[in-house]
Amino acid sequence: MDANEILDYCLAKKGVTESFPFDNETLVMKVGTKMFLLMALEKQPLSINVKTDPEWSAELREQYPQITGAYHMNKIHWNAVMTDGLKRDLVFKMIDQSYELVFNSLTKKAKEEILST
């Protein structure tokens, strides 16, 4: 997988924006005003941070050495994912869950605004 593939996948979701709030290398994807994915563009192999259900996080970390607790993030809820060696479907499933978890945490008004666009 490459960064453009992940970027296109994320931008196809409702209400998603991209920005560089931290530095010129870390792309942040938000739904509404909240982050659901961070991607280190200059780092190889490609690495992303995504939010996941804590139980699934534990399973993923046991099963895949490419998935660990995300640096500088709440490691119970956020995973760092080195995409090399992982199936595309698994990476997309983690992105989908991250988006859904963050979307569901938005206010009712924010959700309605996103869904109406």
Side-chain angles (χ1 to χ4, degrees):
M1 293 193 88
D2 66 16
N4 287 328
E5 190 174 4
I6 291 172
L7 177 63
D8 290 345
Y9 187 79
C10 291
L11 289 174
K13 296 180 174 300
K14 284 196 164 271
V16 172
T17 58
E18 60 181 304
S19 64
F20 291 89
F22 305 118
D23 55 41
N24 293 332
E25 297 175 10
T26 307
L27 177 64
V28 173
M29 306 301 292
K30 293 181 179 181
V31 56
T33 60
K34 295 185 176 186
M35 297 186 302
F36 74 93
L37 182 138
L38 292 88
M39 183 166 32
L41 295 176
E42 300 299 320
K43 190 173 180 183
Q44 291 299 322
L46 181 63
S47 175
I48 62 173
N49 287 0
V50 289
K51 191 169 190 173
T52 49
D53 173 81
E55 288 181 25
W56 194 37
S57 286
E59 289 175 30
L60 290 168
R61 291 175 194 174
E62 286 178 21
Q63 194 170 1
Y64 302 99
Q66 302 96 317
I67 302 173
T68 60
Y71 186 66
H72 285 310
M73 315 267 314
N74 182 330
K75 289 165 184 52
I76 294 172
H77 298 281
W78 286 86
N79 282 324
V81 180
M82 302 293 263
T83 60
D84 276 6
L86 294 177
K87 291 185 178 181
R88 168 181 278 123
D89 290 345
L90 176 61
V91 174
F92 286 161
K93 185 176 179 180
M94 287 185 282
I95 293 170
D96 290 343
Q97 185 177 90
S98 185
Y99 174 88
E100 290 168 17
L101 288 168
V102 174
F103 179 83
N104 289 335
S105 74
L106 297 174
T107 65
K108 182 178 178 181
K109 181 180 177 184
K111 288 184 213 175
E112 289 172 354
E113 287 175 6
I114 290 167
L115 293 174
S116 68
T117 58

